[in-house]
Structures are given as C-alpha cells and as structure tokens.
Amino acid sequence: GALIGAMLPFLFAALTMLSVQKAAGAIIIEVRRQFAEIPGLREGTAEADSDKCVAISTQSSVQEMILPGLYAILSPITVGFLIGPQCLTGLLAGAIASGMMLAIMMANAGGAWDNAKKYIEIEGAKGGKGTDTHKACVVGDTVGDPFKDTSGPSL
C-alpha cells in the first residue's frame, strides 16, 4: 500500500504538468491564428482578442484537472474496497509522505529556476541575456513555472 501511495503524488504531478503543456499549446495556436487573421496585429495597430486566450486557459484549467482529481479520489476508495484497510493505511501514509516531500521540492526547485533566470536578466550575471547560460535558464524556467505554480501547490 505504501508503495502505491508513494507513487500517486508523482502521477498527479505528471498529469498536472501535462495539463499545463496542453493549455499552453492551445493558447499558442490561438495567438498564431490571431496574428494570421487579424489585420494590423503584427504592426500594433489592431487589438488582439485576449478574451479568447483567457477562455482557453479557464476551460483548460477545469477540464484538465478532472483526471488528476479522479485519481486522488478513486485510488483510496479502490484500494480500500479491493485490498483492505491495512493496504489503504499504507497508501495514505505513502501518499502523504512522498507528496509532502515532492510538493516542497517542486515549489523550491521551481522558484530557484525562476530566480536564476531573473538573476541573469536583471543583474547581468554570467554574461546576461543572449548567452548560452541565459538560454539554459529560460529552458529551466519553462519547467520551473509548472513546478512552482501548478504541481507543487496542488500537491
């Protein structure tokens, strides 16, 4: 039970990060569509339809949390009824222990990646913007944002 429980927070975190990827991809497609279809948007003479992007984000945030929520609710119920109360106790203990450590790690790591990028951009450390170090930090921040803003707090 403890092994199954220890695995659940990692599954939950992976599903929430995939949700962020899907939502971001849908917004990118919408922004590209607007640049292609709205005359004057590239030149700055027309207004973008930001309401559409907000609607995509809102809809995705609700839809994409259905599966992680189902795992969180149905896993203890399934284990409790199919295997028994001792396994359920192990599942809950494993989920709490690994989930707490994972949440703290994700929040701290995400913040560290974000701060590293800001440090390079604002302070000009390690050569500043445009360097390979800055490019690496931008990639790290791309992972860090879902860590600190989505998966870590939701755990």
Side-chain angles (χ1 to χ4, degrees):
L3 188 60
I4 297 169
M7 178 268 318
L8 287 176
F10 289 91
L11 176 65
F12 186 86
L15 290 172
T16 56
M17 285 187 281
L18 287 172
S19 298
V20 170
Q21 175 194 3
K22 288 179 191 175
I27 290 172
I28 288 170
I29 290 169
E30 174 61 23
V31 168
R32 286 180 180 164
R33 183 198 64 78
Q34 288 186 25
F35 273 121
E37 295 179 5
I38 299 175
L41 189 58
R42 288 185 190 270
E43 295 78 27
T45 58
E47 287 286 322
D49 184 12
S50 58
D51 291 341
K52 180 69 175 166
C53 292
V54 171
I56 291 170
S57 178
T58 304
Q59 182 180 8
S60 291
S61 67
V62 173
Q63 282 181 339
E64 294 296 327
M65 287 308 291
I66 292 172
L67 188 59
L70 285 174
Y71 275 118
I73 293 169
L74 295 179
S75 296
I77 294 170
T78 304
V79 167
F81 282 122
L82 293 181
I83 302 174
Q86 288 179 329
C87 189
L88 176 60
T89 303
L91 179 130
L92 294 174
I96 290 169
S98 72
M100 189 64 188
M101 288 185 286
L102 185 63
I104 292 169
M105 184 278 302
M106 291 180 114
N108 286 329
W113 274 322
D114 188 42
N115 290 338
K117 185 187 77 154
K118 288 178 184 173
Y119 179 62
I120 288 172
E121 291 175 349
I122 296 170
E123 300 293 327
K126 303 291 183 184
K129 285 187 177 183
T131 62
D132 286 340
T133 304
H134 179 253
K135 290 176 188 174
C137 281
V138 169
V139 171
D141 187 47
T142 304
V143 176
D145 283 340
F147 263 43
K148 71 177 176 59
D149 297 332
T150 304
S151 299
S154 67
L155 285 172

